Amino acid sequence: ILVEVMKNTVMLDGKQYTQTRMAEELSAKSDKKVTLAAVNDRLKNENMKISNFIEMLDLMGYEVVARPKADKRTEYVVEAGTDRKRVK
């Protein structure tokens, strides 16, 4: 999903996501301005920080889930700075 945002406009659930929109929404959530160049740099970086990955997916309405292969009933929702456990 993030790679597609890097290339062009992505439609998710009827909303358009572009690097410009992502920069605007990231700026609105933080105390400092996030530039278009900063978003572009995040997306181009092959070693993106997990916190940036989670933050950008969260803006688009997605969550990151970790689930043990051996136990499909338990999964962990990964959030920046916290973890939440939920059982299916």
Side-chain angles (χ1 to χ4, degrees):
I1 295 170
L2 292 177
V3 172
E4 290 304 313
V5 170
M6 188 170 117
K7 295 178 190 172
N8 52 36
T9 301
V10 175
M11 290 292 290
L12 298 171
D13 299 324
K15 295 181 183 176
Q16 285 187 341
Y17 285 91
T18 62
Q19 291 183 36
T20 302
R21 179 174 178 182
M22 190 165 286
E24 290 167 354
E25 290 188 17
L26 287 168
S27 292
K29 283 184 71 172
S30 78
D31 330 357
K32 58 184 178 178
K33 180 161 176 53
V34 178
T35 65
L36 179 59
V39 169
N40 191 320
D41 288 344
R42 284 184 185 189
L43 292 169
K44 287 192 311 187
N45 188 340
E46 290 182 19
N47 298 312
M48 180 186 287
K49 292 175 17 178
I50 191 72
S51 59
N52 288 342
F53 176 73
I54 293 168
E55 181 180 35
M56 293 170 95
L57 285 176
D58 183 58
L59 281 178
M60 295 187 293
Y62 286 81
E63 62 187 9
V64 177
V65 176
R67 181 181 60 235
K69 291 180 181 180
D71 179 7
K72 303 288 187 199
R73 295 172 296 137
T74 303
E75 57 186 33
Y76 298 87
V77 177
V78 182
E79 296 176 338
T82 65
D83 65 342
R84 274 191 327 207
K85 180 178 180 181
R86 85 178 154 211
V87 179
K88 285 185 180 180

